[in-house]
Each structure stands twice: as structure tokens, then as C-alpha cells.
Amino acid sequence: MDSEQNPIMIHLVSSPNSPEFSHLTHSLTHSSLIGLDAEWKPNQTHHSTFPTVSLLQIACQLTGPDNSSVESPVFLVDLDSIPLQSIYQLIKDVFVSTNVLKLGFRFKQDLVYLSSTFCAHGCEPGFDRVEPFLDITSIYNTLQPRQAGRKLSKQTKSLATICQEVLGISLSKELQCSDWSQRPLTEEQMQYAAVDAHCLILIFEVFKAKVVTEGNSVENVTGVLLSQLDLGLKQILDMQQNSNKLCGIKFGEALEIVQAIPPGFCKTVPASDEKVTVLLPDRANWMDDVLLRIVRKYGDKILLSESDRKPKISRKKAKKSSGRVANTRSPTEGGEEWQGPPPWDVTSGGDGCPKFLCDVMVEGLAKHLRCVGIDAAVPYSKKPESRDLIEQACKEKRVLLTRDAKLLRHDYLLKNQIYRVKSLLKNDQLVEVIETFQLEITEDQLMSRCTKCNGKFIQKPLTTEEAVEAAKGFQVIPNCLFNKNLEFWQCMDCKQLYWEVGFQLLFGPSDLVGLCMFYDKEIEIYTNGIELVVDCVATCM
């Protein structure tokens, strides 16, 4: 998430006797809106059991007396450290509390894994429901402008895409497949986990503002009850305007009518000579009117059936595994460790120019490789099949870079043309590829390729006047660059313009292993050898 956003208050809960646990308990009982997410160590193979959840993220929205948001802490509940029985009832009560709206993104799978994890530690029967619940995908679809005669696309977008479109925030998913069972968690993992839960609250706030602005056509039963508290039901129904409102409400909405009575209200009802006192729930986490309207109109629930609690094994995959074996080698015998030589090796008839194909799991690595002048392509389509990747790699004589262990099964079709990247972060991935393939990066290669499309630059630099003319209707050049007498370069393929920036780099041409932070308009190079000074190039994104 962008650094310009307010910092998130992160609390790691690893013990029931810690101040963080007390803060969590207080926040859950004083919040009417929470965001939920979970992390677990990904399984590389198909198992007969569910993964064990290592971390539960809970983002709370605490409100003041006037229902204004005053604090949004995020709690990272370390399920590998804290005794699960100490928090089981607390979490279960929150999941089913009618006073708390739960937000999530495709949270049903998370709930299945959470229930399995708690059941494995004696917390029977686990979790079977979350209610009321609102999925971020539903919110996103509601926020989309509707055109007459056209249906909304059924394609489910990722959380990162939704954050980008709704909030204008770039959400990194690099650590999604990291080892969440490893302790201690890194600062990067904690920040990633907190942002995943916190962004749910931010997206909901955008949705809530739209509901308030548009003024959804929901009957305001609250006004009737508040103004006629001392009247009986018969007297209220005798009034024409009230009768029309109340009689038009479905029986299933009776709960919302009761919840509309002001919190803290205590009514004494005479019955014979005794007095019965009806106490309402605490006001601390009572939903406001807007939240109630949203729950009433858009609220949903997650229910787990018995079949949901059992791991599903694809019959097709089971038949394949029992009927035949396409490749008897284990993944580590294929593309896990690089065998060589690469297809560009001159002894094998290659041209000596390294060329890579980065699949969707390491697509960000492609931009880093381009920054140091390496030819790095991406798949033709956004969701390529395995055969599409294989065909493109063979056709263009590239080494396929991936983090998908399943692709290693096709190593027999891509001899010496597939490599599984082990590092998680793009910076480390760049270092790994340079060292594994012994790539030599020279000064002339630095920023010699377009990071946008992988094209080559026009060799002759452009003047400011020529760049302005070339950018018309395509790219905006900041006015602050006009008086700096800079040289511009243009990609021959996509026509993107680049220019020099006012800082320099130190790097060793013989043993360059580095980091290219292109989107931040800077390049940092880590070296072990002789340092040389070169100019850097950047572009306005």
C-alpha cells in the first residue's frame, strides 16, 4: 500500500495473557464492522487434509459516540503460538454476532481452513457460519456503473485489482505464497497481512459513502418507533401513515425493527403485580442506521455444510495419477535446479543473447530484468494455459521462469528451458536469475530496454522539443523538465518516452547483482566489485 496512506496500527496477538489480547477483546466488543482474512502455508501437492491456518487477521473499526470512525487497528492473531481454546469462543461469538458486520474476500475457503485448524486442536465443532457477512466482490459489483441492457461481467477480479480501481492503491501480492508457518514472521509479512485486512474496511467506506449519497429507498421504520415509543401497537396502526409503513414490512425484517430501538432504552412492562425489565445489548458495538440499512439490503452469510468440511479430490486428477505417469521424475530432478545449457548458448546454436519468459506468478520480475537490459517477455494472454507457455517458450527460444511447481511436470517438453524461481521478492528474484544463469550486465545494457513492453530504445536521443511533439496525445511530460536541457529516449515499439533524472548510480559491471525499482523512478544497484558512475533513466508513469 502506498506510503502516503496513514500508517496501520498492527498488533500481534500471540498470548492470551498479553496486552494485545486484551486490546483485541475490547476492540471486538466495541466494533460494529470488522474485516477478516487468513494466511496459511501453501500446499505444493494435493493432500487429504486441509492446510493449517497460521495467521488470522482482524481489522476493527472503532467508533466514537457520534458514530464517527476514531481508530482502525489490525490484529494479527498468531494461531501457531496462542492456545486456540483460549480464543475459540471469542472468535465464534464474533462470527455469529448480529451486531457486527463481517467483511471478507472469498472468505468461505478461509472459514473452512479455520474450522479444520481449530477442530484439530480440540475446538469442536469448529466454525460453521459467518453472519451477517458482506463479500468485497459484491461491494465491487455494486459500485460499478450499470448500463441499460448490459449485464455486469461475471469474471471475479482479484483483491489487488479491486483495490487499484476503487481506492487507487497498489496492493502487492508477492508474499501471498510465502511460508506463513515460519516464526518469527518478518516485518514484510506482518505488513502484508495487515494491509490485506485493512483494505477491506477502506473499500467498504467507499461503498458506504455511495449508499449515503444515493439515499437507498429503504423505509425509515426507525422514525416511527422513536416518535411513538409510548404508544401501543394498535394505536400506531390506527394512524394511517404509520399503518402503511409498518404493514409493508416483511415479517423477516422484524429483527431490524427491534434493533432500530435506541440502545440503552429500558422499558418497564406491568404484568400483574410484578415488573419485568427488558435490557437491550450494549451500545458499544451497536450498528448505526446506515450500517443497518446496508445489512438489510446487501447482507449475506456463509454457511458450511458437511461436504464443505471434507477435502475434495478431483476424480479426474485421481484417475490420471492412478492410470498413468506422464513424467516419472520428481520436480527437483527437472527445473528446480538449473541444468543448462540455455537455448541461447552459442555452442548449441544460439545467438548468445539471454531471453526469458516470465509467467504471471513472476511477471513483476520481467520489468526488473528489462531495467538491466535483459530480454524478458510475458505471456500473450493474461490467463495462459500451460501449453500456451510451453509453445511460446519453444517458439521464441526462451527460458520459462515460474514459481508454479506444477509447470515442472512439463520439463520433459522444455528441456533446459524451464526454471523455478525460489525467491519471493522481485529484488531477490532478480539477483537469483543473474547468479543462476551467470548473466553479465554491462554499463551499456542498463536501461536499454523499455520496461513497459520489452522493446528497444531509439538510439539517437531526442531533444525536449522533439519529445514534446512525440508525446502529443500519448504521454504528458512534466513542465518542470522543460528548462533542464535533458535528453529523451523513445521506445521503438510502444513509443513510451524516457528521460534522465537528477541522480547517479554506482555499480560494478563485472559482477552486477542488483535491484531496479522502476515504478519509484529510482534504481539501486548492490555491488561487490569496482564501482563506476553511470547516468540513470526514468519515465513518467
Side-chain angles (χ1 to χ4, degrees), residues 229-289:
L229 281 175
D230 293 331
L231 299 179
L233 180 60
K234 184 177 184 301
Q235 292 172 291
I236 294 177
L237 293 177
D238 286 341
M239 301 173 65
Q240 181 64 30
Q241 69 276 17
N242 294 343
S243 176
N244 291 339
K245 287 184 178 181
L246 287 177
C247 291
I249 301 299
K250 297 179 181 179
F251 178 76
E253 296 180 347
L255 177 61
E256 283 76 13
I257 298 176
V258 174
Q259 289 179 332
I261 301 174
F265 174 75
C266 180
K267 188 72 175 178
T268 301
V269 183
S272 300
D273 296 331
E274 300 179 357
K275 289 186 177 181
V276 179
T277 301
V278 181
L279 297 177
L280 297 177
D282 186 6
R283 182 183 175 84
N285 64 341
W286 194 275
M287 293 186 185
D288 59 29
D289 181 58

Side-chain angles (χ1 to χ4, degrees), residues 295-346:
V295 170
R296 184 182 306 141
K297 185 169 184 178
Y298 302 99
D300 201 353
K301 58 186 175 183
I302 301 178
L303 296 177
L304 298 186
S305 63
E306 286 300 321
S307 61
D308 291 326
R309 297 171 178 269
K310 299 176 181 179
K312 297 179 177 62
I313 301 178
S314 170
R315 293 181 180 178
K316 184 177 180 180
K317 291 179 179 178
K319 183 177 180 181
K320 281 186 177 181
S321 61
S322 61
R324 61 181 177 86
V325 179
N327 182 15
T328 57
R329 292 183 298 171
S330 65
T332 55
E333 293 175 336
E336 186 77 18
E337 298 296 337
W338 178 247
Q339 304 295 322
W344 59 77
D345 189 272
V346 291

Side-chain angles (χ1 to χ4, degrees), residues 14-16 21 78-88 118 123:
S14 56
S15 170
F21 183 83
D78 188 351
L79 302 184
D80 286 348
S81 301
I82 194 170
L84 298 192
Q85 293 184 352
S86 65
I87 59 170
Y88 171 60
F118 275 78
C123 301

